Amino acid sequence: MTHDLDTLREHILAAIAAAPGLDALEVVRVDALGKQGRVTQLLKTLGGMSPEERLVEGPRIQGLREAVTGAIAERKGALEKAALDARLAAETLDMTLPVDAVPAGTVHPVSQVMDELAEIFADLGFAVATGPEIETDWHNFTALNIPETHPARAMHDTFYLAGVDPAGDERETFRVLRTHTSPVQIRTMLNQQPPIRIIAPGRTYRSDSDATHTPMFHQVEGLVIDKGITLGHLKWTLETFLKAFFERDDIVLRLRPSYFPFTEPSAEVDVGFRMVKGKRVIGGSGDDADGGWMEVLGSGMVHPKVIAACGLDPAEWQGFAFGCGIDRLAMLKYGMDDLRAFFDGDIRWLKHYGFASLDVPTLSGGVGVAA
């Protein structure tokens, strides 16, 4: 029996090692371990042996079964790995070949305009700054010189978050969904020493909804803090920005006195437009016979109280700030008439107004690529 078991072991293990594929290996497995397999038949003989014979032959037959089982598993793993390697080798792609088709998706106009703004202001030496969308009452209002009686703090205009401990730190008393990106300016002045040149694009929230307002919208604000900053620097920056954004040299600005709690003096900025075939076209003087003026952003010199609230000396540092709606800029530049469609997720609208993913705005190639 011992000689027969050794011979059978060598025969089966040799057949397993020589199996060229998984199908051939399965034939060997069935021949050895199947219901009528040779090892299985040996196991069945244990019942007819005496206890003394079973004590001797049982471990040998079980050892044969375990050796065959282990060899089959090892060979199967090797064959599967070889098959996978062959498949991967056959499916390799040459990544240097040109693509067969461009991506089907489009870049949302808001994302496109954000990229255009970043490109333009980077050329002017501005960095992009970000901040949390859930803000403290102090960062969103108090530090910006907005009094507690100001309408902007009212519940009908601002989304307040419940559950905040009013007995906490003054700056952490109440939390809101930020109503503008101006808190980013505050955080930047608190954490960075002047000179400062930043733009702060991002999502903002107000309780309002119609054709030109949505509860969530996008704003970009700019901030410059340095020594000797004047209103002339502000006007030049805005004029340079709007000419680059609308890609026209005939942009004419008009600054109208206004009021914002965080700037003094403050100015609304209008841009001239002309009526062409019943549509407004940005460019030219609004005083022309076929022209008019359109408000595009608010601006002003940073209020000394805001500078002081951030730990800076307003006698040493001055600055200007400006802000406008990114969604509104997209509407003006690309001819959209309803802000609500920006957030409807209508694939037809996105295909019509979306931008190709490879058309990255650059100053050399043009920031505005045709939609």
Side-chain angles (χ1 to χ4, degrees), residues 137-333:
D137 179 87
W138 188 87
H139 288 89
N140 197 77
F141 293 123
T142 305
L144 289 163
N145 196 39
I146 300 177
E148 293 186 2
T149 56
H150 196 280
R153 291 180 180 252
M155 291 291 289
H156 64 76
D157 191 48
T158 301
F159 292 105
Y160 283 87
L161 303 183
V164 178
D165 181 10
D169 189 308
E170 176 190 358
R171 298 188 180 187
E172 305 291 336
T173 303
F174 298 106
R175 293 187 179 273
V176 300
L177 294 181
R178 66 182 182 188
T179 58
H180 43 193
T181 56
S182 298
V184 179
Q185 301 180 21
I186 298 299
R187 292 182 177 273
T188 301
M189 284 191 282
L190 288 170
N191 298 318
Q192 179 179 330
Q193 289 298 312
I196 296 172
R197 291 175 177 81
I198 63 161
I199 60 169
R203 284 188 290 262
T204 53
Y205 306 84
R206 293 180 191 174
S207 184
D208 203 356
S209 181
D210 56 40
T212 57
H213 299 84
T214 54
M216 186 279 289
F217 56 102
H218 300 83
Q219 263 194 351
V220 60
E221 300 197 15
L223 173 71
V224 169
I225 299 292
D226 207 335
K227 296 179 180 179
I229 298 298
T230 68
L231 203 61
H233 296 114
L234 168 63
K235 184 178 181 182
W236 179 89
T237 300
L238 296 180
E239 191 173 62
T240 302
F241 154 57
L242 291 172
K243 285 182 177 180
F245 179 74
F246 289 109
E247 299 185 79
R248 300 181 65 99
D249 290 328
D250 60 347
I251 297 294
V252 179
L253 300 187
R254 181 179 69 176
L255 274 64
R256 291 181 290 105
S258 185
Y259 166 75
F260 303 112
F262 32 84
T263 53
E264 179 60 37
S266 304
E268 297 278 6
V269 180
D270 300 334
V271 63
F273 69 87
R274 293 175 290 109
M275 297 300 297
V276 178
K277 297 181 179 179
K279 294 184 177 181
R280 294 177 177 178
V281 177
I282 302 296
S285 174
D287 295 326
D288 295 341
D290 60 345
W293 295 98
M294 180 188 309
E295 176 194 335
V296 290
L297 51 83
S299 65
M301 302 300 293
V302 180
H303 200 292
K305 290 185 177 180
V306 175
I307 295 177
C310 296
L312 301 176
D313 183 359
E316 180 181 5
W317 301 102
Q318 302 81 44
F320 64 76
F322 57 88
C324 57
I326 294 176
D327 315 289
R328 178 166 171 76
L329 288 177
M331 294 174 71
L332 290 175
K333 185 171 182 178

Side-chain angles (χ1 to χ4, degrees), residues 21-54:
L22 293 174
D23 292 339
L25 182 64
E26 178 64 13
V27 172
V28 176
R29 188 197 68 80
V30 172
D31 179 65
L33 302 176
K35 289 184 178 181
Q36 303 301 320
R38 286 180 285 179
V39 177
T40 305
Q41 293 301 320
L42 288 174
L43 289 170
K44 291 180 180 179
T45 64
L46 293 174
M49 296 181 183
S50 65
E52 292 77 11
E53 292 175 327
R54 192 181 304 120

